[in-house]
Amino acid sequence: MSKIHNFSAGPSILNQDVLKKASEAVVNFNNLNLSILEISHRSKDFVAVMDNAVALVKELLEVPQGYSVLFLQGGASTGFLKTILNFMKENGNGAYLNTGAWSKKALKEAEKLGSLTVVASSEDKNFNYIPKGFSVPDNTDYLHITTNNTIFGTQIKNIPTQENTLLIADMSSDIFSRKINVSDYAMIYAGAQKNMGPAGTTLYIVKDELLGNTGRTIPTMLDLTTHITKGSMFNTPPVYPIYVSMLTLEWLKANGGIEWIEKINQEKADLLYNEIDSNPLFEGTAAKEDRSNMNVTFVLTDESKKAVFDSMWKEVGISGINGHRDVGGYRASIYNAMPIESIQVLVDTMKKLIN
Ligand SMILES: *Cc1c(COP(=O)(O)O)cnc(C)c1O
């Protein structure tokens, strides 16, 4: 079988050694002669997986005291709801920075469950930039941001921390890709399936002392306090996605952690953006200063080359680079597990396309 270069936006590429270990555990986990899929989540072998996954998140992201790390279900899309129910006061207001399709889905939930203020939006230019220099009104309970806009290929480079405003971030598509300052945030959440593991679990990092202040009645499963009290084991956790996430975080740690991957991610992004900028047949779609290091969006300057280019990249085993329907063109998702060699294959293919 020839090698596939997997640029899928999500679910997306996982490290090959991680996949191998994960597949072995399906048949025989920890030499128990049992599958990880058929043991109790309360067994000591699985509890050790959960503890290790939580410890790795804390270590890799230098999570300070006073924050809880949770592995829950429901996807980042349930995080939109949990944000409101756990942080927006009964008659309160949430501030939202509208930078793309996921931000918009997050703020739509606030429309349903409370009230909101859109502090700035880049919708006027099809979300191809990150608005800056906005202010957040005093009467809001939090500011919600999407740190990386998976569909539109933009990324917030300077986190807009505001005095006296709780910051909540959807980091689904760039968590563990660069250094972050957890103490800037009231809550961070991220679906696993972009940069941490397979679909099926969502990571929450939440500052404990901020919970329980909304005056709302929160359904048990949506109340973060439930899950903090029970160590993510209030109900059956998604054992396998947590296990594969743990393996991925072990891989990250063994290679040098966030400092290591951030440098590589920069090299990878530079390699591809340099080709986009120097090759007259291609053009980036995002404002240069806001370009994502995770999702690289670009278009052909001459649409008549599309059929030729598409057959060229398919020929060399590239997969998953068709752009999202809202942007068109191409999107190369170059998450942590994507080796630079695969990006070189894409760049070489772009160079071969001639006028
Ligand atoms: C993929 C994605 C989501 C949706 O996550 P689900 O886990 O499918 O609910 C939300 N936000 C961002 C930024 C994403 O990239």
Side-chain angles (χ1 to χ4, degrees):
M1 207 171 69
S2 64
K3 184 165 168 51
I4 298 293
H5 306 283
N6 179 12
F7 289 87
S8 172
S12 42
I13 187 167
L14 289 164
N15 175 268
Q16 284 297 318
D17 294 335
V18 165
L19 287 176
K20 188 158 177 294
K21 277 187 203 157
S23 68
E24 285 162 6
V26 171
V27 180
N28 182 3
F29 175 54
N30 277 2
N31 282 324
L32 297 171
N33 286 321
L34 288 166
S35 167
I36 188 169
L37 303 179
E38 56 182 3
I39 61 168
S40 168
H41 58 290
R42 309 219 180 263
S43 65
K44 104 178 160 357
D45 289 86
F46 184 74
V47 170
V49 169
M50 180 69 93
D51 290 348
N52 191 20
V54 169
L56 283 160
V57 172
K58 288 186 173 172
E59 184 181 345
L60 286 163
L61 296 178
E62 299 176 38
V63 177
Q65 289 288 323
Y67 282 79
S68 291
V69 171
L70 306 170
F71 284 93
L72 306 179
Q73 300 192 48
S77 299
T78 306
F80 305 158
L81 272 178
K82 289 195 180 111
T83 296
I84 298 153
L85 294 173
N86 289 274
F87 289 94
M88 191 194 287
K89 301 240 159 52
E90 177 102 57
N91 294 304
N93 184 286
Y96 285 79
L97 180 62
N98 186 17
T99 54
W102 295 114
S103 301
K104 225 170 143 174
K105 285 190 172 153
L107 70 86
K108 287 264 183 238
E109 297 302 310
E111 259 168 24
K112 290 183 187 166
L113 290 168
S115 76
L116 75 152
T117 307
V118 176
V119 290
S121 170
S122 49
E123 195 164 11
D124 58 334
K125 292 189 176 164
N126 200 28
F127 297 116
N128 72 359
Y129 71 104
I130 301 288
K132 296 162 199 87
F134 53 85
S135 61
V136 180
D138 288 340
N139 65 344
T140 52
D141 296 315
Y142 57 81
L143 169 65
H144 180 280
I145 60 173
T146 312
T147 51
N148 185 74
N149 298 284
T150 324
I151 292 174
F152 298 93
T154 62
Q155 186 175 29
I156 300 179
K157 305 290 174 174
N158 296 308
I159 300 300
T161 51
Q162 313 270 327
E163 233 172 297
N164 303 320
T165 302
L166 303 185
L167 187 62
I168 296 179
D170 174 358
M171 290 196 191
S172 293
S173 53
D174 69 351
I175 189 128
F176 299 112
S177 73
R178 58 175 176 175
K179 191 171 161 48
I180 58 167
N181 200 0
V182 174
S183 61
D184 287 343
Y185 301 89
M187 181 168 83
I188 293 165
Y189 63 98
Q193 70 272 21
K194 313 287 170 42
N195 221 10
M196 184 174 73
T201 190
T202 311
L203 174 67
Y204 288 81
I205 305 173
V206 58
K207 191 169 188 178
D208 302 332
E209 66 176 27
L210 299 173
L211 296 172
N213 295 326
T214 62
R216 286 177 185 267
T217 304
I218 311 175
T220 311
M221 276 294 284
L222 297 174
D223 188 345
L224 290 169
T225 307
T226 304
H227 302 291
I228 292 172
T229 312
K230 299 288 183 185
S232 302
M233 298 254 203
F234 170 73
N235 67 326
T236 316
V239 293
Y240 197 59
I242 295 170
Y243 178 65
V244 183
S245 297
M246 183 206 81
L247 293 176
T248 302
L249 297 177
E250 279 182 339
W251 162 78
L252 185 54
K253 180 184 162 179
N255 283 285
I258 302 293
E259 212 178 314
W260 166 74
I261 201 73
E262 182 167 15
K263 189 166 158 282
I264 291 181
N265 283 336
Q266 192 60 52
E267 286 167 14
K268 282 154 51 179
D270 287 346
L271 176 61
L272 187 47
Y273 283 121
N274 284 341
E275 181 59 26
I276 290 168
D277 290 341
S278 60
N279 188 328
L281 292 174
F282 295 96
E283 195 172 31
T285 63
K288 277 192 185 174
E289 60 181 5
D290 303 321
R291 281 172 163 178
S292 168
N293 281 6
M294 295 283 101
N295 311 96
V296 178
T297 50
F298 56 100
V299 292
L300 282 162
T301 52
D302 175 0
E303 270 301 306
S304 73
K305 300 260 187 279
K306 181 171 162 46
V308 177
F309 183 57
D310 288 355
S311 70
M312 284 169 69
W313 57 258
K314 281 173 194 160
E315 179 88 350
V316 295
I318 286 172
S319 152
I321 65 160
N322 280 320
H324 188 278
R325 61 187 176 279
D326 290 344
V327 184
Y330 302 95
R331 169 174 53 170
S333 296
I334 54 173
Y335 299 118
N336 285 356
M338 162 71 62
I340 198 161
E341 291 75 20
S342 289
I343 297 166
Q344 191 64 55
V345 170
L346 173 57
V347 165
D348 291 345
T349 308
M350 291 163 79
K351 281 189 200 299
K352 280 187 197 132
L353 186 68
I354 38 178
N355 252 320

